[in-house]
Amino acid sequence: MERTLSIIKPDAVSKGVMGKIIDRFESEGIRIVAMKMIRLTKKEAQAFYAVHRDKPFYDSLTDFMSSGPIVVMVLEGENVIAKNREIMGATNPKDAKPGTIRYEFATDVEKNAVHGSDSPQTAMEEISFFFSKYELIGTER
């Protein structure tokens, strides 16, 4: 079984569509093994998105991600990284296919409702940023 991190971003939380997004994962047979609502500080958002530090969108992204509550989840399932990315849709909602989360709920390329890990290595790093091993259901103590 593979695991990935999923974030419901501040725009989707403020729109009140968390339940619809969570339902999308569960209806696709994806298991949620950890979930919590938090609010990142600017420094925490900068640390999480450090890989993008040199990109022009870094400051606006970290401002946005620290602008309101987010829901962080660990999703589990077979090929869940690819499956999650398919369910989310293209990063730019203008390019997202109908029926995807971003097509339905995103505003623009930055306020695009959700985040998902892009590889097994990234998933491990991102999951450990938000969760201890004791917070993951099914993880042995």
Side-chain angles (χ1 to χ4, degrees), residues 52-78:
H52 299 302
R53 186 179 308 113
D54 297 326
K55 298 191 176 144
F57 58 83
Y58 177 72
D59 283 331
S60 64
L61 174 62
T62 56
D63 283 343
F64 166 63
M65 289 301 292
S66 60
S67 70
I70 61 172
V71 175
V72 290
M73 298 176 282
V74 178
L75 308 179
E76 181 180 79
E78 195 168 315

Side-chain angles (χ1 to χ4, degrees), residues 26-90:
E26 291 183 320
S27 67
E28 292 287 336
I30 294 173
R31 183 173 173 228
I32 298 171
V33 297
M35 179 169 56
K36 59 187 168 184
M37 181 183 278
I38 62 171
R39 183 162 183 171
L40 295 173
T41 65
K42 174 75 170 180
K43 279 190 172 183
E44 289 166 337
Q46 288 171 330
F48 183 73
Y49 286 104
V51 68
H52 299 302
R53 186 179 308 113
D54 297 326
K55 298 191 176 144
F57 58 83
Y58 177 72
D59 283 331
S60 64
L61 174 62
T62 56
D63 283 343
F64 166 63
M65 289 301 292
S66 60
S67 70
I70 61 172
V71 175
V72 290
M73 298 176 282
V74 178
L75 308 179
E76 181 180 79
E78 195 168 315
N79 298 315
V80 75
I81 293 170
K83 194 172 196 177
N84 179 41
R85 294 185 72 75
E86 183 179 318
I87 292 166
M88 289 189 309

